[in-house]
Amino acid sequence: MKNITFLNPEFFWLFLLIPVAIVWLFWKRKQQTPTLKISSLKGFASSGFTIPKLKPFLFVFRILALSALIVAMARPRTVDVSNKTKTTKGIDIVIAVDVSGSMLAKDFKPNRMEALKRVADDFVEQRPNDRIGLVVYAAEAYTKSPVTSDKAVVLDAINGIKYDNVLQDGTAIGMGLTTAVNRLKDSKAKSKVIILLTDGVNNAGFIEPETASDIAQQYGIKVYTIGIGTNGMAEFPYAIAPNGQFLFKMMQVEIDEKLMQIIAKKTGGKYFRATSNTKLAQIYGEINKLETTEIEELRFYDYDEKYRSLVWIAGLLVLVEVGLRNTIFRSFI
């Protein structure tokens, strides 16, 4: 009975009639059975013939047939459901990540960059119906992953984020934002979003962040800005030891929050401040809720009716009962 549903389960109420039918059948049998009163049975030898004793079991066939018909009327069937989803309002998203040396600060565990990668992974996996791209920037910027619906490519790009010498160290917020805008400006999506993350102040690049935000506004791109870093002091890398390991010291955390707020407000986005791993995860969760994708789901049902076999079983039971009643048990009525 696994995975079987019933179209008309109300017919199961008919099982309440089964006890009535049993009582009626035995009463009817008693009425139809002839009786003979004699003073003694001593003159009749017992033959041990048991077929007459089996005759009452003919009613079992009739009760089973009736039960099978009731279940058949309830329309048992299995259902195979297949889904097809269609995105009716797609969103293209570019995540722009600051990969300057300050992202190795240890106010997040194990550091800002690794904490961001974990949260960004979860964010991408929760957006199965959107296209996502990745831009990284320090003193310069480049596209690490184009806007794509292939989440494996995006996740691989996020996991590959690291501090290296490919980009000159620094924080070019305007360059990072402009590169992200270039990935979205020709998009045909109903909604275009940039998630811009930095942990410092703009100190490099030849494009001002305000200019980049004006361009984003012209193309109808919404920018959510995130400042990452605890309030107060944090362990920052300041030099590299002869063995290649970073040296850290306590330094003041500086984030140009006013600039981040201006960019977000101008483009219709929102500014967030992440001061811990938990807060960073909450911010991405809130952005995930703010930017929802409308999905149309088409569901197809394939029904396999099971009542036919029950009707055949009921018919067979009736035929067996009628056949036995008019053959083997006929002479004992």
Side-chain angles (χ1 to χ4, degrees):
M1 299 295 285
K2 187 177 180 181
N3 298 326
I4 291 181
T5 60
F6 295 90
L7 181 62
N8 304 310
E10 60 273 10
F11 280 104
F12 284 123
W13 288 104
L14 293 176
F15 275 111
L16 296 175
L17 299 178
I18 296 295
V20 178
I22 293 173
V23 172
W24 181 83
L25 288 172
F26 275 96
W27 178 81
K28 191 74 172 177
R29 172 179 170 271
K30 184 176 291 187
Q31 293 293 319
Q32 293 178 346
T33 303
T35 59
L36 176 64
K37 295 181 180 181
I38 58 176
S39 59
S40 175
L41 294 175
K42 291 182 179 181
F44 297 91
S46 176
S47 64
F49 198 53
T50 59
I51 289 181
K53 297 178 181 180
L54 296 177
K55 185 179 179 182
F57 287 98
L58 291 178
F59 295 119
V60 174
F61 289 98
R62 193 173 300 184
I63 295 300
L64 290 176
L66 181 59
S67 299
L69 286 175
I70 292 174
V71 176
M73 288 189 293
R75 292 284 296 277
R77 58 185 182 174
T78 57
V79 185
D80 182 23
V81 183
S82 58
N83 296 323
K84 182 179 180 182
T85 58
K86 178 183 178 183
T87 303
T88 58
K89 185 182 178 184
I91 299 177
D92 280 357
I93 302 172
V94 171
I95 302 173
V97 179
D98 185 346
V99 293
S100 59
S102 58
M103 285 292 288
L104 299 177
K106 295 183 177 181
D107 49 348
F108 287 62
K109 301 300 179 185
N111 58 49
R112 295 174 180 177
M113 190 172 293
E114 292 302 317
L116 169 65
K117 288 163 63 174
R118 294 173 186 174
V119 173
D121 271 354
D122 292 338
F123 178 81
V124 170
E125 290 178 348
Q126 292 174 28
R127 313 288 304 193
N129 301 294
D130 300 319
R131 301 199 310 160
I132 300 177
L134 179 66
V135 167
V136 295
Y137 69 95
E140 306 166 280
Y142 72 92
T143 301
K144 194 167 181 66
S145 171
V147 178
T148 176
S149 58
D150 189 340
K151 298 302 183 293
V153 171
V154 181
L155 292 172
D156 185 62
I158 292 173
N159 292 327
I161 294 176
K162 62 181 180 178
Y163 176 78
D164 51 33
N165 294 323
V166 174
L167 297 177
Q168 182 180 350
D169 202 11
T171 304
I173 297 174
M175 296 291 290
L177 181 54
T178 301
T179 304
V181 169
N182 282 334
R183 303 282 71 79
L184 290 176
K185 63 184 180 65
D186 297 324
S187 170
K188 303 300 182 182
K190 297 292 183 180
S191 181
K192 295 174 283 187
V193 173
I194 293 174
I195 301 175
L196 178 69
L197 184 142
T198 186
D199 68 342
V201 296
N202 186 67
N203 56 20
F206 56 85
I207 299 177
E208 293 297 323
E210 292 85 352
T211 302
S213 62
D214 288 336
I215 298 172
Q217 183 185 31
Q218 291 175 9
Y219 283 104
I221 299 172
K222 187 185 300 182
V223 183
Y224 291 99
T225 55
I226 302 175
I228 180 170
T230 188
N231 293 313
M233 307 289 285
E235 280 189 272
F236 280 86
Y238 71 93
I240 300 178
N243 61 1
Q245 299 294 319
F246 285 99
L247 300 177
F248 292 83
K249 67 179 180 178
M250 297 300 294
M251 297 175 63
Q252 183 69 36
V253 176
E254 295 182 10
I255 300 174
D256 194 343
E257 293 192 277
K258 185 177 180 180
L259 175 61
M260 295 290 100
Q261 291 168 352
I262 291 173
I263 294 173
K265 184 177 180 181
K266 184 180 293 185
T267 59
K270 189 176 180 180
Y271 170 69
F272 302 91
R273 176 67 184 270
T275 56
S276 65
N277 294 58
T278 302
K279 184 62 176 177
L280 181 62
Q282 291 174 349
I283 289 170
Y284 269 88
E286 185 172 345
I287 295 174
N288 190 37
K289 293 178 182 178
L290 288 171
E291 294 298 328
T292 57
T293 302
E294 295 179 8
I295 303 297
E296 178 184 350
E297 182 180 63
L298 302 177
R299 183 167 292 183
F300 302 92
Y301 296 87
D302 182 18
Y303 295 102
D304 183 13
E305 299 287 352
K306 301 295 184 181
Y307 71 90
R308 297 180 182 87
S309 59
L310 292 170
V311 173
W312 279 104
I313 291 172
L316 181 61
L317 289 170
V318 171
L319 287 176
V320 169
E321 187 216 354
V322 172
L324 292 175
R325 188 179 298 277
N326 289 281
T327 54
I328 296 176
F329 296 101
R330 183 175 183 179
S331 60
F332 300 100
I333 299 177

